[in-house]
């Protein structure tokens, strides 16, 4: 059993698949920056063939935040799963959080996920929307804590 104290990850990546999110993605990026002002973050925006101005908005966000925002433009719509996978390939963080482009999942909730991950020495924490994290831990249903394996050697 690993008796070392849990450590906070050093870099946090946010992967955000975007489909016609031109009106909302700027607010999501601003909220991430407000919520994590001192943490090393990376925001990977993946435009999944949007028909609106998402490409231009994402390009502008990357220009405004060159040290924290990466922009991936897919040639066509590959679907949310494909966009998430493209973002995961680009991410460089020790941890990755996947958020929606409309702010449905508040970035502040990621701190709770990180706390669970660190305190319980988890590899992965998955939360279904609309259900409190503590309820999911108690019931151990699919979509709760995905891996029971602790970090480090057994």
């Amino acid at each position: 059993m690993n008796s070392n104290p849990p450590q906070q990850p050093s870099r946090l990546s946010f992967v955000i698949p975007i489909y016609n999110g031109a009106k909302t993605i700027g607010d999501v990026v601003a909220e991430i920056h407000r919520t994590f002002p001192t943490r090393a973050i990376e925001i990977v925006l993946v435009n999944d063939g949007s028909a609106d101005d998402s490409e231009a908005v994402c390009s502008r966000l990357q220009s405004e935040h060159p040290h924290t925002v990466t922009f991936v433009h897919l040639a066509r719509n590959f679907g949310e799963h494909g966009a998430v996978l493209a973002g995961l390939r680009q991410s460089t963080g020790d941890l990755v959080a996947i958020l929606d482009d409309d702010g449905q999942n508040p970035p502040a909730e990621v701190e709770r996920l990180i706390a669970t991950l660190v305190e319980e020495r988890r590899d992965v924490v998955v939360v279904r929307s609309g259900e409190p994290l503590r309820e999911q831990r108690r019931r151990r249903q699919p979509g709760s804590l995905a891996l029971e394996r602790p970090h480090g050697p057994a």
Side-chain angles (χ1 to χ4, degrees):
M1 177 140 169
N2 187 353
S3 61
N4 295 332
Q7 294 180 358
Q8 284 286 333
S10 60
R11 184 171 167 100
L12 174 60
S13 293
F14 292 89
V15 170
I16 307 175
I18 299 162
Y19 184 72
N20 294 337
K23 293 181 180 177
T24 57
I25 191 59
D27 291 339
V28 173
V29 169
E31 182 65 22
I32 292 169
H33 282 109
R34 277 192 302 273
T35 304
F36 299 94
T38 59
R39 182 184 288 275
I41 61 168
E42 166 190 53
I43 304 169
V44 181
L45 306 176
V46 183
N47 184 29
D48 190 22
S50 298
D52 68 356
D53 291 331
S54 293
E55 180 179 3
V57 171
C58 290
S59 291
R60 178 181 52 79
L61 290 167
Q62 183 181 31
S63 294
E64 290 173 0
H65 307 282
H67 300 293
T68 57
V69 175
T70 300
F71 175 45
V72 178
H73 177 71
L74 301 181
R76 65 174 178 83
N77 180 264
F78 287 89
E80 183 178 9
H81 183 72
V84 167
L85 290 176
L88 290 173
R89 280 192 289 277
Q90 292 294 315
S91 66
T92 61
D94 299 308
L95 290 179
V96 179
I98 301 167
L99 299 180
D100 292 331
D101 65 356
D102 61 1
Q104 176 180 327
N105 311 100
E109 290 297 308
V110 173
E111 283 293 359
R112 290 177 57 208
L113 297 175
I114 293 170
T116 298
L117 190 104
V118 171
E119 290 166 14
E120 297 184 15
R121 297 174 185 236
R122 304 290 180 174
D123 291 320
V124 176
V125 180
V126 179
V127 178
R128 286 191 311 245
S129 67
E131 188 168 336
L133 186 60
R134 67 184 178 287
E135 294 298 317
Q136 291 182 28
R137 277 199 307 244
R138 185 167 39 87
R139 292 198 320 234
R140 298 279 196 248
Q141 290 185 354
S144 63
L145 296 172
L147 293 179
E148 296 295 326
R149 185 170 49 96
H151 291 292

